[in-house]
Amino acid sequence: MNNLTDKNIYWWRPLDDRELGTRGEILFAAYKEIHWQGFQSASLSNILARTGVTKGALYHHFPNKTELGYAVVDEVISEHIRLSFVEPLLEFENPIDGIIELIQSSGDAFSMTDVELGCPLTVLAQEMAPIDEGFRIRLIKIYDLWHQSITDGFHLALKNGQVRDDIDPDTVAMMIVATMEGAMNAAKVAQSLDKLYLCGNGLIQYLELIRKKQDKDKRI
Amino acid sequence: MNNLTDKNIYWWRPLDDRELGTRGEILFAAYKEIHWQGFQSASLSNILARTGVTKGALYHHFPNKTELGYAVVDEVISEHIRLSFVEPLLEFENPIDGIIELIQSSGDAFSMTDVELGCPLTVLAQEMAPIDEGFRIRLIKIYDLWHQSITDGFHLALKNGQVRDDIDPDTVAMMIVATMEGAMNAAKVAQSLDKLYLCGNGLIQYLELIRKKQDKDKRI
DNA sequence: TATAAAGCATACCAATTGGTATGTACGAGA
DNA sequence: TCTCGTACATACCAATTGGTATGCTTTATA
């Protein structure tokens, strides 16, 4: 019935399986349960069933459900976004090329399960931001990190003459993050990779539009 | 504690207060509770407390919680999206002008509560799409309606020479919907209208980029 | 090897959940 | 006036929830 028990079927895989330890296993199982059900509806019994760990162990490592949720955000989701979106961008000379590359490669790597569950950040943001400040400040930290990394990239691109002079790095970065989140949302509802590709192409075309002309010609 | 009891403090106001009737009151209260807590965590007791209606009345009008949720999507949220985004767009000669106008006017009308709770469509999409097919098909219908109205607009704009010839209406429409959803998501987490404006400006700049040049000049 | 603490396991608990069974008030139609 | 269906109201219920109290091992340390 629940096909998410397997540890490695989806892309939003945050940790290595090996050597998690009890705490890590709980954290990982909680992450999956939350990604799937949301935080409030995430059942501790389900998490325990996933792992085979007992309630005593859970409450030995975490004082309560909320703190377990916080730990999932801090240690699992945050790290995943950093490794998937922030770090890789630093590798590229031109952030426009980097983002295009990231869009395409993650699009290729996505399974249907990834599409169905969508971005774990958005799941928690939509559910918990209005009702729990602890979640909200943690989530905003991750979004800001992501957003800032793109902003920095475009500041550099501006200096290097890789983008049109009239763009504002902050605004463009906001656009990119928002569009990617929105794209994953649309694909999730439609349960369709095509929606993701469609929006990915739109975003790539947008990026080509703000690329500096001489740079555009140089590349061809 | 719960400051959402008042009926008219926020923009996502779907119905008129007057003459709701018992069923309408339940529906409205359920909509607000769901918008705030999500569907699964929406408490029937809370909904009853909001309205003063008893459980007997609720179960007289709705067979169960799920069907109540479906009714909220079909009758409240769907109608709201239609009246706020789909219908108004038809009024404009140029869809680009229309969308810019819609972005600006809704930005002006948004209260902090609107920002905090975000788009009710996204709330339900993120929570329910993966776990309840009934919700998913209803939500997809609304997204498609919205998306299609923009696509139609750009098909017309293409014919009228209002946009660049190399754009694909479907792709552009996807971009716009995704970006708006993503913008509301970002603003919700940050609890900041500024984030909304920032992303709104980005989207407007994007729209100006795909506007046809002679049309761009003509307007100034 | 003695001891303390960390790492779990079992059993239990109050509170809340969605849902139901039964009863009642009331207006329309025959 | 009798009846029948609509529109509620009250009281109750099993199941699940997060959380706790109390135990037992194992491991590190002195």
Side-chain angles (χ1 to χ4, degrees), chain A residues 6-118:
Chain A
D6 181 18
K7 280 180 182 172
N8 284 310
I9 55 169
Y10 66 159
W11 186 75
W12 303 104
R13 183 182 343 123
L15 297 170
D16 228 282
D17 309 14
R18 37 199 170 103
E19 291 301 332
L20 283 180
T22 306
R23 199 194 114 101
E25 278 203 46
I26 296 171
L27 212 55
F28 192 21
Y31 163 72
K32 287 192 292 184
E33 172 81 2
I34 290 171
H35 192 191
W36 188 49
Q37 292 278 353
F39 174 74
Q40 297 183 91
S41 301
S43 155
L44 294 184
S45 325
N46 275 0
I47 294 173
L48 299 179
R50 279 175 191 273
T51 55
V53 164
T54 63
K55 190 167 278 192
L58 198 159
Y59 275 90
H60 172 71
H61 289 285
F62 304 96
N64 50 46
K65 189 189 175 185
T66 304
E67 289 296 330
L68 171 59
Y70 291 169
V72 166
V73 178
D74 288 334
E75 302 177 37
V76 184
I77 298 179
S78 173
E79 202 62 3
H80 178 260
I81 296 288
R82 212 176 53 77
L83 290 175
S84 307
F85 295 109
V86 178
E87 295 281 343
L89 197 57
L90 299 174
E91 303 293 319
F92 291 86
E93 282 258 353
N94 188 329
I96 296 187
D97 294 334
I99 293 168
I100 291 176
E101 183 66 30
L102 282 179
I103 292 171
Q104 288 172 337
S105 65
S106 57
D108 292 340
F110 268 36
S111 73
M112 268 315 287
T113 313
D114 301 321
V115 173
E116 282 172 40
L117 293 191

Side-chain angles (χ1 to χ4, degrees), chain A residues 37 40-41 123 125-126 130 136 140 143 164 171 174-175 178-179 182 185-186 188-191 202-203 206 209, chain B residues 37 40-41 116 123 125-126 130 136 140 143 164 171 174-175 178-179 182 185-186 188-191 202-203 206 209:
Chain A
Q37 292 278 353
Q40 297 183 91
S41 301
V123 172
Q126 286 296 322
R136 199 180 70 82
I140 223 180
Y143 275 110
R164 293 173 46 150
T171 307
M174 187 78 243
M175 268 290 283
T179 308
N185 180 63
K188 173 172 176 169
V189 186
Q191 287 191 359
L203 188 53
Y206 164 71
L209 281 176
Chain B
Q37 292 278 353
Q40 298 184 90
S41 300
E116 282 173 39
V123 172
Q126 286 296 323
R136 200 180 69 82
I140 221 179
Y143 275 111
R164 293 172 48 148
T171 307
M174 187 78 243
M175 268 290 283
T179 308
N185 180 64
K188 173 172 178 169
V189 186
Q191 289 192 359
L203 188 52
Y206 164 71
L209 280 176

Side-chain angles (χ1 to χ4, degrees), chain A residues 107-203:
Chain A
D108 292 340
F110 268 36
S111 73
M112 268 315 287
T113 313
D114 301 321
V115 173
E116 282 172 40
L117 293 191
C119 177
L121 208 50
T122 315
V123 172
L124 276 176
Q126 286 296 322
E127 182 190 8
M128 300 308 291
I131 59 179
D132 187 299
E133 193 70 5
F135 273 102
R136 199 180 70 82
I137 57 172
R138 282 168 172 83
L139 294 170
I140 223 180
K141 206 184 289 178
I142 305 179
Y143 275 110
D144 277 349
L145 181 78
W146 185 9
H147 175 262
Q148 191 60 48
S149 74
I150 301 178
T151 306
D152 291 345
F154 274 93
H155 269 297
L156 217 73
L158 213 50
K159 190 177 277 180
N160 295 343
Q162 295 161 324
V163 288
R164 293 173 46 150
D165 300 318
D166 59 344
I167 67 115
D168 170 49
D170 209 33
T171 307
V172 171
M174 187 78 243
M175 268 290 283
I176 293 169
V177 173
T179 308
M180 289 182 74
E181 290 286 313
M184 297 229 49
N185 180 63
K188 173 172 176 169
V189 186
Q191 287 191 359
S192 140
L193 271 164
D194 286 340
K195 290 260 171 192
L196 201 64
Y197 298 151
L198 193 64
C199 202
N201 284 331
L203 188 53

Side-chain angles (χ1 to χ4, degrees), chain B residues 17-100:
Chain B
D17 312 12
R18 31 193 174 108
E19 292 301 332
L20 282 179
T22 306
R23 199 193 113 102
E25 277 202 46
I26 296 171
L27 212 55
F28 192 22
Y31 163 72
K32 286 192 292 183
E33 173 79 4
I34 290 171
H35 192 191
W36 189 49
Q37 292 278 353
F39 174 75
Q40 298 184 90
S41 300
S43 155
L44 294 185
S45 325
N46 276 0
I47 294 173
L48 299 180
R50 278 175 192 273
T51 56
V53 164
T54 64
K55 189 167 279 194
L58 197 158
Y59 276 90
H60 172 71
H61 290 285
F62 303 95
N64 51 48
K65 189 189 176 185
T66 304
E67 289 295 330
L68 171 60
Y70 291 168
V72 166
V73 178
D74 288 334
E75 301 177 37
V76 184
I77 298 179
S78 172
E79 203 62 3
H80 178 262
I81 297 287
R82 213 176 53 77
L83 291 174
S84 308
F85 295 108
V86 179
E87 296 280 344
L89 198 56
L90 300 174
E91 305 292 320
F92 293 86
E93 283 258 353
N94 189 329
I96 294 186
D97 293 334
I99 293 168
I100 291 177

Side-chain angles (χ1 to χ4, degrees), chain B residues 87-128:
Chain B
E87 296 280 344
L89 198 56
L90 300 174
E91 305 292 320
F92 293 86
E93 283 258 353
N94 189 329
I96 294 186
D97 293 334
I99 293 168
I100 291 177
E101 182 66 32
L102 282 179
I103 292 171
Q104 288 172 337
S105 65
S106 57
D108 292 341
F110 267 37
S111 74
M112 267 316 285
T113 314
D114 300 322
V115 172
E116 282 173 39
L117 293 191
C119 177
L121 208 50
T122 316
V123 172
L124 276 176
Q126 286 296 323
E127 182 190 8
M128 300 308 292

